[in-house]
Amino acid sequence: MRVLVAEDHRVLARTIAKGLRRESIAVDVADRGDEAERMCQLTEYDVLVLDRDLPVLTGDELCRRLSGLEARPRVIMLTAAGGTEDKVYGLTELGADDYLAKPFDFAELVARVRTLYRRKPEPADPVLRYGGIRLDRARRTASAHGRPLDLTPKEFDVLDVLLKHRGEAVSHQKLLRTIWDENLSPRTSAVRATVSRLRRKLGDPGAIAVDTGQGYRLTP
């Protein structure tokens, strides 16, 4: 899951991002509405945690504009305007998917983010299969040749992306951009380390091939 936090209170934004990362959620942060809009156009986010009172481009206007985005994130408005009329306006007129008033309990925010993520449309068959590997996206379970795999959230997500490409190479940059976040250096070894662990858990060092200059791919 990848989340964008659009919040101009920088201490609060960092706190939210840090907490979500502890939950193995990839998080990017924007402190202006126009910056958040640009980031949503460049990156496919699953959930946008949106403050209504953003500079340059308000959260209200950003929420309206995102309605025309093909890969629109689910939007949870996080704002001090917590009256019933504010909530109704945000949900019905602005098109937000959820609304949480400040101050809030962090555990509730995490629960709401996860709920919005689960509400994203899934393919008709949420089960992906390739070369003896089976992954159930709805139940978040995976197996290799009938043997259950005990995967971390990042390992599961890497396997998910590789399975979607069915043997075609996926670049290091794409995995980094899709599964991790801007907080990580492009030179990080996180992708290689995760793929290495995933190979061991699959029980076959050749199950994931490395194509020089192309990326990683599953072998049949």
Side-chain angles (χ1 to χ4, degrees):
M1 185 196 322
R2 189 159 184 178
V3 173
L4 175 61
V5 176
E7 167 64 62
D8 66 333
H9 191 296
R10 296 190 178 185
V11 173
L12 177 58
R14 286 197 299 268
T15 301
I16 294 172
K18 185 176 180 180
L20 291 176
R21 287 177 184 134
R22 284 188 186 137
E23 299 292 325
S24 297
I25 297 171
V27 185
D28 295 337
V29 176
D31 59 8
R32 300 196 321 267
D34 60 329
E35 180 186 13
E37 181 181 32
R38 178 185 59 80
M39 293 171 72
C40 286
Q41 291 168 344
L42 295 174
T43 302
E44 188 173 332
Y45 291 102
D46 297 297
V47 178
L48 168 62
V49 179
L50 178 63
D51 179 22
R52 288 185 64 181
D53 190 22
L54 290 174
V56 184
L57 180 69
T58 67
D60 289 7
E61 182 59 27
L62 174 58
C63 194
R64 290 192 186 96
R65 292 189 185 188
L66 289 178
S67 63
L69 200 62
E70 184 176 350
R72 175 190 177 275
R74 298 282 185 178
V75 177
I76 175 169
M77 284 192 159
L78 192 63
T79 173
T84 299
E85 289 185 3
D86 295 309
K87 294 178 181 179
V88 171
Y89 181 74
L91 294 169
T92 60
E93 298 298 323
L94 300 179
D97 300 284
D98 199 357
Y99 199 105
L100 184 60
K102 300 174 183 176
F104 59 91
D105 184 88
F106 188 74
E108 181 179 2
L109 174 62
V110 172
R112 287 172 181 258
V113 166
R114 292 196 182 283
T115 297
L116 287 182
Y117 175 69
R118 288 195 296 270
R119 282 169 54 187
K120 285 196 71 177
E122 291 286 349
D125 183 1
V127 177
L128 303 176
R129 300 176 179 85
Y130 186 75
I133 299 172
R134 182 183 187 277
L135 182 143
D136 189 324
R137 305 183 76 211
R139 294 181 175 83
R140 288 192 70 82
T141 59
S143 62
H145 303 285
R147 176 177 54 85
L149 300 173
D150 182 16
L151 303 179
T152 66
K154 288 291 189 284
E155 292 163 357
F156 185 94
D157 291 342
V158 167
L159 185 58
D160 185 10
V161 173
L162 294 177
L163 280 167
K164 287 175 186 173
H165 286 78
R166 299 187 57 81
E168 295 181 357
V170 181
S171 71
H172 176 100
Q173 291 77 11
K174 181 176 177 61
L175 288 173
L176 195 63
R177 195 169 58 245
T178 303
I179 299 169
W180 281 269
D181 58 42
E182 63 180 11
N183 195 50
L184 217 57
S185 166
R187 298 182 180 179
T188 181
S189 62
V191 175
R192 288 189 294 274
T194 303
V195 170
S196 179
R197 292 195 305 269
L198 187 53
R199 279 198 189 102
R200 290 197 296 272
K201 292 184 178 183
L202 290 172
D204 178 7
I208 302 176
V210 180
D211 293 341
T212 303
Q214 298 296 319
Y216 304 95
R217 62 179 175 82
L218 289 174
T219 59

